DNA sequence: AAGTCTGTCAACCGCAAAGTA
DNA sequence: GTACTTTGCGGTTGACAGACT
């Protein structure tokens, strides 16, 4: 039978988006909320594929996206999360709230992979992830494999610990303002050091101004896409929804941690308050309104992370093998 | 100055999972 | 339970800009 094309190939426009198209898309999303992408081209008159609209929004137009140079903490997180999770960029991106999976993927492919390859001339693939790659021609003995795995887990913990420490929350802008999304331009001002937005961000920000005060129609909440597009924020705020994507990410990481450390349901999932106060009441209301009510599942990732990181303190330095030093020299 | 090479990044494509009737 | 639709993800491509010759 075959899959029907998602869009009429004759009509859809391809290539770079124009500012006008951006404005149309943002205006529409401002009014209706993200989601129901199928209807977007029809309702907006955009000659774009629904997928293209979703991608444009997710990777470029949605609020809170940070562009420009990656910080050292971000680099470390990417490297170690990639080692732990593989090329699951969406999952990795969920722990880098301001970065898109596409950005991370590009950064990995164009820079980090090469850099690691350069710094690890001995390893074939170059990336830390390839330590676990069974396809490596030289099989690593089980004991050594486990040892290196533990080492890298330790390094990942360290990187995450640093990256997630309140003082270094990835240069995330001050969120004490009454409205998280109200004026993205102000983000620039509150954190001039690291935030470099897309050229169109200011314009789009103006369009989005007041969006949070006029949240999208409830009707749009039929689709969970609103959740996924805000997923990274939700993650950061510790109120990640149980949306399909969020849930997937949560479960994925939970499973990873559980499998690695034998964590079970005795975990205290309620201790995520560290992250939530920074979210404005309006934003919190919005997210809660727009997301499914189940937050206990949603809180798993960061609670796990917290426990994981706290647990890190107990790890004896003697557990750190020489290969830690090898990896440490990477930075 | 002109041509070529290289790196970056936005966008596309195809597949698979999730959702729905 | 099945067929179909929609959405999300990861790999890949291609346009562009800057560096280099």
């Amino acid at each position: 039978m075959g899959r029907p094309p998602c869009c009429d190939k004759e009509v859809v426009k391809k290539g770079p988006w124009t500012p006008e198209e951006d404005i149309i898309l943002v205006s529409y999303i401002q009014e209706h909320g993200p989601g129901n992408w199928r209807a977007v081209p029809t309702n907006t008159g955009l000659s774009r594929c629904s997928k293209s609209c979703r991608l444009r929004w997710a990777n470029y137009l949605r609020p809170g996206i940070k562009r420009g140079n990656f910080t050292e903490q971000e680099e470390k997180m990417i490297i170690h999360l990639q080692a732990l999770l593989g090329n699951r960029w969406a999952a990795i991106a969920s722990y880098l709230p301001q970065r898109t999976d596409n950005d991370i993927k590009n950064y990995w492919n164009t820079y980090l992979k090469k850099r690691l390859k350069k710094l690890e001339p001995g390893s074939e693939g170059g990336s830390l992830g390839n330590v676990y790659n069974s396809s490596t021609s030289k099989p690593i003995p089980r004991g050594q494999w486990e040892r290196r795995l533990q080492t890298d887990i330790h390094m990942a913990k360290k990187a995450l610990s640093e990256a997630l420490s309140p003082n270094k929350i990835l240069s995330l802008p001050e969120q004490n303002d009454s409205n998280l999304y109200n004026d993205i331009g102000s983000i620039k001002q509150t954190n001039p050091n690291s935030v470099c937005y897309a050229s169109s961000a200011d314009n789009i920000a103006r369009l989005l101004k007041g969006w949070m005060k006029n949240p999208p129609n409830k009707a749009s909440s039929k689709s969970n896409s609103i959740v996924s597009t805000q997923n990274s924020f939700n993650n950061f705020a510790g109120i990640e929804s149980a949306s399909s994507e969020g849930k997937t990410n949560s479960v994925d990481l939970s499973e990873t941690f559980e499998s690695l450390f034998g964590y079970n349901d005795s975990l205290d999932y309620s201790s995520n308050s560290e992250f939530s106060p920074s979210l404005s009441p309006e934003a919190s209301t919005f997210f809660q309104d727009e997301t499914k009510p189940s937050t206990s599942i949603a809180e798993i990732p960061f609670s796990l992370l917290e426990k994981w990181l706290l647990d890190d303190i107990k790890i004896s330095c003697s557990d750190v093998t020489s290969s830690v030093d090898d990896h440490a020299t990477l930075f």
Side-chain angles (χ1 to χ4, degrees), chain A residues 189-208:
Chain A
Q189 292 163 3
T190 53
N191 195 347
N193 294 332
S194 60
V195 182
C196 175
Y197 288 96
S199 57
S200 65
D202 285 338
N203 295 334
I204 303 306
R206 275 183 224 116
L207 283 167
L208 287 167

Side-chain angles (χ1 to χ4, degrees), chain A residues 89-97 99 104 231-232 235-236 240 245 249-250 253 302:
Chain A
W89 306 115
I92 292 171
S94 70
Y95 285 89
L96 290 162
R99 302 291 187 179
I104 294 170
N231 191 29
S232 51
N235 277 333
F236 178 74
E240 177 190 301
E245 181 182 316
N249 293 343
S250 307
L253 217 62
F302 264 115

Side-chain angles (χ1 to χ4, degrees), chain A residues 91-153:
Chain A
I92 292 171
S94 70
Y95 285 89
L96 290 162
Q98 295 177 289
R99 302 291 187 179
T100 68
D101 54 354
N102 208 32
D103 259 354
I104 294 170
K105 183 172 60 181
N106 281 335
Y107 190 63
W108 174 265
N109 286 330
T110 61
Y111 178 68
L112 286 179
K113 205 158 75 174
K114 290 172 189 170
R115 187 172 153 206
L116 288 170
K117 209 170 194 171
K118 217 174 180 179
L119 290 167
E120 283 189 44
S123 75
E124 290 197 14
S127 80
L128 294 172
N130 284 339
V131 168
Y132 319 120
N133 189 351
S134 58
S135 66
T136 310
S137 59
K138 253 188 184 175
I140 301 169
R142 183 184 165 82
Q144 191 183 343
W145 185 90
E146 285 175 353
R147 195 177 164 88
R148 294 196 68 173
L149 176 63
Q150 253 189 327
T151 298
D152 287 326
I153 287 167

